[in-house]
Amino acid sequence: QTVKWYRKAAEQGHADAQFNLGVMYSSGWGVTQDYNEAAKWHRMAAEQGQASAQSNLGVMYEKGLGVTQDYKQAVKWYRKAAEQGHRRAQKNLGFMYGNGQGVVQDYKEAVKWYRKAAEQGQADAQFNLGTLYYFGRGVVQNNKEAVKWYRKAAEQGRADAQLKLAFMYDSGHGVAQDNKEAVKWYRKSAEQGNADAQHNLGVMYGVGQGVAQDYKQTVKWYRKAAEQGHADAQ
């Protein structure tokens, strides 16, 4: 019934209904999954300026879902949505600039768009912006800024950001060296299954840094990482 009413509104030119119908075809909710139909309805909404549809159409062009893969078209639609403040499109546009897909690689532009998304709380953009600060790409290298953005992403539960933040505490880069904080963030990442964090947490238990030395815990975390193919843990 939901599909029926979305379709009626979509066929009358209602942009949000067109977008919702496109999402249902993409996801296979209430209809057989069909990326061609999804692309059709997303395009109709996108051409009316519906930002989420523009963003999703960009994804479809980037990945070749229901359309021929075309990075330039992906950039075109990401940009339209990003300029309307759509944070996922801003993040994706930053990614395209950072990787030189559909545009000439430009880290300054990547920073610009990642920052816009990061300031809206987009965790992927926060992590990527932290990484650009860490390596000094598109910005002056700044470990304190890297820590700031890694922390924001880590607090939203990104395991790779938690690992990076732990490393910054472990090494004293951009923040006062603090083994207990390193252990805290290694643990959060390790509990989400990050093999590098599991290995590093094992190391901290083995040498008794930031936590009481405990070889049983060392073995436990090395084993978890080793089972994921982590060579050092093995």
Side-chain angles (χ1 to χ4, degrees), residues 119-168:
E119 288 174 348
Q120 291 196 72
Q122 216 284 342
D124 295 340
Q126 291 168 342
F127 174 76
N128 291 345
L129 184 57
T131 299
L132 290 173
Y133 270 111
Y134 181 75
F135 288 108
R137 291 175 179 161
V139 286
V140 176
Q141 199 280 338
N142 188 321
N143 285 332
K144 286 187 178 179
E145 281 292 304
V147 167
K148 168 186 168 180
W149 292 108
Y150 283 150
R151 188 185 309 281
K152 288 179 182 291
E155 288 173 348
Q156 291 199 65
R158 267 199 70 137
D160 50 3
Q162 292 166 345
L163 171 67
K164 291 289 189 183
L165 183 58
F167 170 77
M168 301 299 268

Side-chain angles (χ1 to χ4, degrees), residues 7-28:
R7 190 182 307 280
K8 284 183 180 292
E11 288 172 348
Q12 291 183 57
H14 192 285
D16 287 341
Q18 291 167 343
F19 163 69
N20 288 331
L21 189 55
V23 169
M24 296 186 86
Y25 273 112
S26 285
S27 307

